[in-house]
Amino acid sequence: ILLNSKLAGCTVFITGASRGIGKAIALKAARDGANVVVAAKTADPHPKLPGTIYTAAAEIEAAGGKALPCIVDVRDEKQINEAVEQAVEKFGGIDILVNNASAINLTGTLETPMKKVDLMLGINLRGTYLTSKLCIPHLLKSKNPHILNLSPPLNLNPIWFKNHTAYTIAKYGMSMCVLGMAEEFKGSIAVNALWPKTAIQTAAMDMLGGSGIGKQCRKVEIMADAAYAILKKPTSFTGQFVIDEDILKTEGIKEFDVYAVEPGHPLLPDFFLDQQPEDLAKQMEEHGATPAFKSGKADSAATGPISDMFNIIRGILSPDIVKTTQGVYRFDLSGEHAGVWYIDLKNDAGSAGSGDPPVKADVVMALDSADFIKMFGGKLKPTMAFMSGKLKIKGDMGLAIKLEKMMAMMKSKL
C-alpha cells in the first residue's frame, strides 16, 4: 500500500520477528531491499505457535531482502550481544531497531505467579532497555537511525492497571524507554512507540480471545505499514506515541477495510486506549470470542453524572460496609442517563460499576436516572422514593433500607 524504497540497504534489527507483527514489519522492510536481523527465540518449530527464525528468514529473502536469523532471548545479554556483533559484521552496521518481543499475561496480582511477572518484566521492560542499550552505539553511526518500540501511549487511567498490573507495568516500561531515550538521544536517534487502534490477528490474540476473535481484528499488515511510515521519517520525528490508523491517515490512506480480517465486521479496540476493558470483553463475547482477561467486575462505560456518582461510590467502598450490608444491588435506570449499574456490598471489599453485577442481585431497584442522582446525593430517601412510586423494588426490601447508610456517607463526599 505504501510505495518508495526508503529502506533499501538499511539494516533492521527486529526482536520477536519469527511471527506476527514483528515478521510483518520484517517483510515490509525486505520488500524495500533491507537487511533484516531476525532476533527471536524460536529455532525449532513450536507445537502451538507458527514459524521459526529460519522460516521467517526464508520469507524475507523471498520478498527481496537479506536475512540474518539469530537465536535471541532478549533476557540474555550474551545472546543479544552476539546477534548485534553478527549483524554489524555481516551488514556493516545497524540503522533501525524494532523492539517487538513481548510476553503477555492478563491476570490480577494474586493470580499472577512471580515466574510470569519476571517473564513479562524481563522481556518487555528489561529486554527492550537492554537491546536498545546494545544497539545504540551502532545506531549513532547511522544516517537516519530509529528505535521503534511496540508499546502503548502512557494512559494512567487506573482501569488499565487494576486487572493486570504486572502486564501494564511491563508494557509501560517499554513506553517509558521511548520517553527517556527520545529525550536522551534527541537530534541523533529517533525513538518512537507504535500501538494499534484495534486488535490485531496474531497467535497471541488467538490465545487471549479464542477462535471467535479473528473476525474482530485487523491484519498485521496495518502495523507493518504504520511502522514503515515512521521509519522513513527523519530523526526529528521522535518521542511520539503513534497509533497505526492515525499515522496512515496522514500518509493519505482513507480506506481501512483492506486491513480487516473480515471487512465490514465490527472491530475490537485495543487495550490502553480510551475504551474500557469491560466494554472490550462484552464486545468480544457479542461477536463470538471468549476473552481470557475478563475480570468479572465492571466499571463505568459512560461519562456523565451517573459515572461520576459511581466514582464516588467506589471511593467509599470498604470491608466494613460490605460486612454490615451483605447485599448485591442492581439499578435499572431510565430517563436521560438510562442504563444498568450495580453495587456489590457482599463480596470481597465490594465493587460497583456499569452492567450486570458479577453475581446474582439480591435486590433490583428501578428508577429514573435523575432520582438516582437525588437519592445518592442525599436529597431523596429510598423509603420516600418507594412510597411515592418513584422507585420500584424487587427482592429484599430490608437491603434497600440498608443502602441509606451508604447514602449518608455519600452526602458528606458531595
Side-chain angles (χ1 to χ4, degrees), residues 266-281:
L267 293 164
L268 186 66
D270 203 0
F271 275 30
F272 306 115
L273 304 177
D274 295 334
Q275 195 139 352
Q276 303 257 357
E278 281 71 21
D279 289 353
L280 299 185

Side-chain angles (χ1 to χ4, degrees), residues 280-319:
L280 299 185
K282 220 176 265 179
Q283 195 171 325
M284 285 169 82
E285 286 170 330
E286 275 169 18
H287 297 287
T290 317
F293 58 87
K294 196 171 178 193
S295 69
K297 292 182 183 178
D299 270 304
S300 155
T303 53
I306 306 291
S307 174
D308 295 344
M309 197 62 88
F310 270 83
N311 285 336
I312 299 165
I313 290 169
R314 278 192 287 272
I316 61 168
L317 292 178
S318 70

Side-chain angles (χ1 to χ4, degrees), residues 149-154 170-180 193 241:
N149 294 355
L150 276 286
S151 66
L154 288 162
K171 213 62 196 158
Y172 281 15
M174 295 174 75
S175 300
M176 290 167 91
C177 285
V178 170
L179 209 58
F241 291 87

Side-chain angles (χ1 to χ4, degrees), residues 330-332 334 363-368 371 375 382 385-395 397 400:
R330 176 182 146 139
F331 301 93
D332 291 348
S334 53
V363 58
V364 178
M365 304 171 85
L367 69 162
D368 190 282
D371 290 326
M375 211 159 78
F386 178 71
M387 286 165 73
S388 63
K390 288 180 176 176
L391 169 65
K392 291 183 174 62
I393 299 172
K394 277 185 205 163
M397 194 71 188

